[in-house]
Amino acid sequence: MPFNKALVNAVLEISETANKFQSSVVIRTDTQNIDAKSILGLTYTVLSSQTFKLEIHGLDEKEAKAAMTHIFWKNKLPVEVI
């Protein structure tokens, strides 16, 4: 798989944003559920998936949902919040 700097930057930005919140941030794809705070799992998921669903629960979930949705759209990654 060729190195894609834009996707690497997206992975870093998603992880950094998720780690700002206390809420649990899970990214669901067709085949996996990944903790968005885990950069290793996140790297594989973003590089190999085409669609993403966010499941966010916790004390600051409203703020986390807004921030995470923004980061996905900013990086041109389609996302749905469930």
Side-chain angles (χ1 to χ4, degrees):
M1 179 178 299
F3 179 78
N4 185 324
K5 187 176 180 178
L7 284 179
V8 171
N9 288 336
V11 166
L12 293 172
E13 196 168 9
I14 290 166
S15 178
E16 289 172 357
T17 302
N19 277 295
K20 291 179 182 178
F21 298 98
Q22 292 180 336
S23 293
S24 166
V25 181
V26 175
I27 299 172
R28 297 186 185 278
T29 66
D30 290 335
T31 60
Q32 297 181 324
N33 297 325
I34 301 296
D35 180 354
K37 297 178 183 183
S38 166
I39 198 153
L40 182 60
L42 185 60
T43 300
Y44 176 76
T45 301
V46 171
L47 294 176
S48 66
S49 300
Q50 298 295 316
T51 59
F52 308 93
K53 294 180 181 178
L54 290 174
E55 187 170 333
I56 303 173
H57 299 286
L59 297 174
D60 54 2
E61 70 182 67
K62 183 177 179 180
E63 297 85 358
K65 286 178 181 179
M68 293 302 295
T69 301
H70 172 75
I71 295 303
F72 271 80
W73 285 110
K74 175 183 167 190
N75 286 287
K76 297 178 176 43
L77 298 170
V79 68
E80 174 187 350
V81 178
I82 54 174

